[in-house]
Amino acid sequence: MALILITITGISILSPVISSSLSSVAIKSTGQIVATQLFDNCDSAANWKVGEAKNTLGIDTVDKVEGTASLKMTFAATGSNWGGLFYREPADVWDFSAMPLLRMRFKASDQMPANFKFCIVTATEQNPDDWIINTYSILDKITVIDSWIVIDFDLRFPENYVEWPDLRYIKQIGFQCWDEFITNPVTFRVDRIERMVGALIPLEAYVKPNVVYLIVNDSISFQVFARGGIEPYYYAWYLDNQIQPQTSATFTYKATTLGLHEVKAILRDSNVTSLTLKANVTVIEASRPIQADSDIFKSDIRGVFLHTPWGYNPQWNVIADTCLSYGINTIVIETYTSHFWSGSGIVDFQELRTAITAFHNKGLSVHVLLCVALTPDTGMKAKNSAGATVDWLCFTKNVSKTMLKAVAESLARDYDIDGLMFDYIRWDTENGFICFCNECKARFIVDTGLTDVNWPADCLPSGRYYWDFIQWRCIPVTEAMRDMRNAMLAINPNLLFSAAVWPAFQDCGNYWVEEIGQHTADWVDKGYLDFVSPMVYTTTLTGTDSVDQLTRNSRDFYVGGSEGKIPLVVFTTIDIDGSPRNINNFVEATRLMRNNGADGWIIWRYGGPGLTAYFDVRPYLGALQETGLMEPIWTIQNLTVSINPGRTAATISWTTTVPTKSRIEYANHPLFNATVRYDDFGRPIYYKDIDYVGGTIQENTTLKTTHSFTILITDETRFRIQCIDANNITITSKEILVLATSP
């Protein structure tokens, strides 16, 4: 017989078998019934398990709240380890949907590890074999050490959820601590775990799938998942803003028209609360071309950087002619946010438009380099730990986000650029450790849950939350890149994105994450960049911090090796501290970069005809031509994917402008993996390292200009193609999903 206490408007009705130690639960203002049901009295450890060696699980018959015992759990009880799991599982599944609140008595005898969480594992109605781990913050609930407290978990709201757990199919509950090295025993106790009815929650919902690719004449069903509010629910569906006849939670769509379509569901509950949910459908031909004429399909990216040319009366047509005649194919022009934003709005930058036209007339690609954090308006500036304003953008402020989005949209809409290169997308280190403004404080507390932070002292070096702050401050920087990229792609989906970044030195690890909040490998992993440009500004060719070492380390760490996840296009220089670089040294540096897997280079900075303020670049480009480092550029073109009617196979074909050998690599999993590392080099923070995983490879070693492979596919299959010319120059595409429309 279940032990149940029911409280109705303050009047308690007790079952005669209820223990007198069970407290009644305060009635909610809605007047609904609130019930408490015993889940585990914790008098026995027989139903619980311990998942890792050196952890122990038992009972404590002395230190308890009620009954005969409490559960006693200890991490690293018999030696150091990396945490682990204490858990309980049902014979089949538990259904907590009617009573989703879990209340327990909890006592921490020691300071709990930073990664300590409560967790449940759920399945779904569609797939009972699913193993979905949901975690719940507990550290913020542990208000005292070595005293019993009451902790409640609303299982409907795990951390960082997008799709809520299906509490009808709970397969495990437990306490976990993963990826944290524990040197001394850490003990906690749990007693009397109860289930409770949850309070009413507002209406919320999501639609699945929300992004999908369909071959023309295929069909798919969309479904709205809703909870909260007042049932029953009412549904209306729209396709491209045209009302559809379906009025249930599902909508079936048949793809008849090519292109991008919007599916919209309007959900209303009985309290007249409504939500609008949207999904995007891209309908494609079974055989279709993929854009393959951009910079990333060239055998070599050869660029020059135009450094602050605006004040030197540049002659754009002359510069374009010079670059074309010396084999340059890419122009990178430096700009600042202040070129596009003034006070409270967008301003026009006509001279940039004039420059772009001049270079495009000669067939040169134009990438605008934007110094993201420089020249901010006063209201957007960061603050150091002393409260002083620093001339550097605070990425957290809403006014900064508004400005960056507007600048990004203007660049994509108003200027015919081929790509955007992010620069100065990091925190400053020269004018004080930043940022400690009020917005950063509020966001830090929300994101980390560290409500007891003594700001800023706790976040400074040697402060108790210093490493939490270091880990956190990467987030606003990365979000700025993500949001600007998304805003621009919504206007021009053919744009390329890159970043000028600090290079990876030997054992670099998480150094730049700590120093400047620049997490390059994370950007590559998330797909935010089409190529990456480490700044290798040194004349040392080999050895420590040399051209050789910095190129190799950046290649391995940022892109996963030669022919990596994305191209590596190295920033090099002909200007060394205001003096012209030795030409032979420059040539050997270029050769080393190529031998170490670089897919191109960008010279800092252009000088010569049309812009005489800087050292003349022509002798350096001429030397590269004379030494055989400027072979004619060739490209991949006409890349096409054709899928058979049963969607079991695809033929991938393309052409090259010179005869090449060809290769295709494919798999039903990503070809590259971001390995998450922690606590390297005495810095206890997480960071990523891009590693090559690989897949199945087919190749044709005959030199020819037409190429074709047929592969078996699933909806998860992705591929990349590779061509090698007679000089062993290689072009490797990005990883492409078979059902996607572009690389």
Side-chain angles (χ1 to χ4, degrees), residues 189-225:
R189 293 170 176 80
V190 177
D191 204 354
R192 193 172 187 86
I193 304 175
E194 299 163 341
R195 293 172 51 207
M196 300 167 57
V197 175
L200 289 177
I201 60 176
L203 179 66
E204 59 178 345
Y206 59 88
V207 63
K208 287 185 66 176
N210 61 357
V211 177
V212 66
Y213 296 99
L214 289 182
I215 296 174
V216 66
N217 295 322
D218 279 358
S219 296
I220 192 169
S221 290
F222 295 88
Q223 182 174 356
V224 170
F225 295 83

Side-chain angles (χ1 to χ4, degrees), residues 401-423:
K401 296 177 183 179
T402 298
M403 179 274 293
L404 291 178
K405 184 173 185 289
V407 169
E409 290 174 338
S410 177
L411 278 166
R413 180 185 61 244
D414 304 329
Y415 303 90
D416 186 22
I417 62 175
D418 298 288
L420 176 72
M421 177 175 282
F422 297 96
D423 196 8

Side-chain angles (χ1 to χ4, degrees), residues 537 572-581 603-605 613-615 620:
Y537 298 150
T572 186
T573 184
I574 61 172
D575 186 330
I576 303 296
D577 298 326
S579 299
R581 184 175 188 169
I603 296 175
W604 192 93
R605 53 196 171 180
Y614 307 119
F615 299 127
Y620 297 90

Side-chain angles (χ1 to χ4, degrees), residues 50-56 74-86:
V50 56
E52 297 294 324
K54 300 182 181 179
N55 296 335
T56 60
T74 304
F75 292 111
T78 61
S80 301
N81 68 6
W82 287 88
L85 174 69
F86 299 97

Side-chain angles (χ1 to χ4, degrees), residues 223-257:
Q223 182 174 356
V224 170
F225 295 83
R227 68 176 184 178
I230 305 295
E231 297 189 53
Y233 302 134
Y234 304 92
Y235 305 88
W237 290 92
Y238 294 80
L239 176 63
D240 295 331
N241 289 320
Q242 298 296 313
I243 187 71
Q244 303 297 303
Q246 290 93 329
T247 57
S248 69
T250 61
F251 166 66
T252 300
Y253 166 68
K254 184 173 182 179
T256 58
T257 306

Side-chain angles (χ1 to χ4, degrees), residues 277-305:
L277 311 167
K278 295 181 180 180
N280 288 326
V281 184
T282 301
V283 180
I284 59 178
E285 294 273 18
S287 178
R288 71 206 186 281
I290 294 176
Q291 183 193 5
D293 58 355
S294 65
D295 290 338
I296 57 175
F297 283 95
K298 293 176 181 175
S299 57
D300 209 12
I301 296 178
R302 300 169 185 167
V304 293
F305 177 60

